[in-house]
């Protein structure tokens, strides 16, 4: 039932930027795009969210395509602590539908 | 401000038994959601409660039920346990009812094993 598509896994080198893509071609006009990440043995944690405009916060940036059918989470300088499963989620009702996410590996 | 806590951390039950999992939300958070996460998969939404009323439900049978209390605590009850119920159960609290923009704060989860 997931409405998003993400690569299963990605690798990055420490201190380099990481671009995590997400496709959501069936997004509706009122759906917000949320990103959460789950570190090993922890519950998911909020990263960022947006509707139409690009968003920045202390953790990451979110770039949203003009047609909103895709988005990209950008970690500007990956650290070993960023190794996690990253979930892209559409929220338009009172529930969050997670897909399988992207497992990010950060190499020193 | 304390985070979201869950108890117990781990639990082992046998088929057919009943289980109650507990969650303590962040103070002031009126909304709590429960998720089931099977090994290697993303969390699956079970249901959400707002001010002690069910406010949304995922594709789970009625033997999954919940309660939310005025003191920001909540319970997930599962009756007639099946082997496939073995999973990590997560609760998440949020401050409002909009859902679509509220940040959810997750607990560490309860690992349930059904034998």
């Amino acid at each position: 039932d997931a409405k998003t598509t993400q690569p299963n896994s990605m690798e990055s080198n420490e201190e380099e930027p990481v671009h995590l893509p997400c496709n959501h071609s069936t997004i509706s006009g009122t759906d917000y795009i949320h990103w959460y990440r789950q570190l090993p043995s922890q519950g998911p944690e909020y990263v960022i969210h947006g509707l139409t405009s690009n968003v920045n916060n202390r953790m990451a940036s979110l770039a949203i395509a003009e047609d909103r059918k895709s988005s990209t989470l950008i970690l500007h300088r990956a650290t070993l602590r960023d190794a996690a499963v990253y979930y892209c989620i559409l929220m338009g009702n009172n529930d969050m539908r997670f897909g399988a996410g992207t497992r990010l590996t950060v190499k020193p | 401000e304390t985070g979201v806590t869950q108890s117990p951390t781990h639990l082992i039950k046998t088929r057919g038994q009943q289980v109650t999992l507990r969650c303590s939300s962040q103070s002031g958070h009126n909304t709590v959601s429960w998720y089931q996460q099977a090994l290697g998969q993303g969390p699956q939404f079970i249901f959400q409660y707002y001010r002690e009323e069910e406010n949304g439900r995922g594709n789970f049978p009625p033997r999954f039920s919940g309660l939310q209390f005025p003191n920001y605590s909540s319970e997930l009850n599962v009756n007639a346990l099946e082997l496939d119920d073995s999973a990590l159960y997560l609760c998440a609290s949020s401050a409002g009812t909009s859902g679509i923009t509220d940040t959810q704060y997750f607990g560490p989860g309860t690992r349930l094993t059904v034998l």
Side-chain angles (χ1 to χ4, degrees):
Chain A
D1 289 78
K3 297 181 286 186
T4 61
T5 304
Q6 300 176 251
N8 290 333
S9 62
M10 291 185 65
E11 282 190 355
S12 171
N13 294 318
E14 199 175 10
E15 302 295 320
E16 291 186 354
V18 182
H19 291 230
L20 298 166
C22 180
N23 288 320
H24 29 79
S25 58
T26 60
I27 191 170
S28 72
T30 55
D31 283 344
Y32 278 74
I33 301 160
H34 286 244
W35 284 81
Y36 279 71
R37 71 180 186 181
Q38 188 170 21
L39 280 65
S41 302
Q42 296 185 26
E45 67 172 347
Y46 169 80
V47 178
I48 200 166
H49 77 274
L51 183 61
T52 57
S53 303
N54 295 343
V55 184
N56 299 294
N57 66 20
R58 63 174 180 82
M59 289 182 69
S61 296
L62 176 60
I64 302 173
E66 193 170 339
D67 62 6
R68 301 207 327 124
K69 294 186 176 182
S70 66
S71 60
T72 302
L73 177 69
I74 302 166
L75 306 179
H76 296 285
R77 291 179 63 195
T79 70
L80 297 178
R81 290 173 295 180
D82 291 323
V85 178
Y86 286 78
Y87 297 101
C88 166
I89 306 150
L90 301 184
M91 288 186 66
N93 297 308
N94 288 333
D95 67 80
M96 298 180 72
R97 297 187 183 272
F98 289 75
T102 296
R103 181 172 298 280
L104 175 66
T105 302
V106 180
K107 297 182 290 184
Chain B
E1 179 180 278
T2 58
V4 178
T5 59
Q6 293 185 243
S7 63
T9 305
H10 297 86
L11 197 56
I12 299 175
K13 291 285 189 178
T14 57
R15 273 187 304 175
Q17 285 188 312
Q18 178 268 342
V19 69
T20 297
L21 308 181
R22 294 180 172 81
C23 172
S24 179
S25 300
Q26 285 195 8
S27 179
H29 281 191
N30 294 313
T31 302
V32 64
S33 302
W34 284 89
Y35 298 83
Q36 180 195 66
Q37 186 173 24
L39 202 60
Q41 298 182 21
Q44 300 300 304
F45 174 71
I46 303 175
F47 45 57
Q48 181 183 85
Y49 278 77
Y50 170 68
R51 291 186 174 175
E52 303 162 50
E53 296 288 332
E54 189 175 295
N55 193 36
R57 190 176 182 93
N59 189 27
F60 280 80
R63 59 189 186 85
F64 285 79
S65 63
L67 286 171
Q68 185 186 25
F69 304 102
N71 65 351
Y72 305 114
S73 67
S74 60
E75 291 180 354
L76 165 65
N77 298 290
V78 187
N79 293 323
L81 283 167
E82 301 176 359
L83 296 180
D84 286 348
D85 294 334
S86 295
L88 180 69
Y89 288 85
L90 297 158
C91 78
S93 71
S94 58
T97 60
S98 71
I100 57 177
T101 58
D102 286 343
T103 296
Q104 297 206 8
Y105 297 86
F106 284 81
T110 292
R111 172 74 61 188
L112 173 65
T113 301
V114 182
L115 302 176

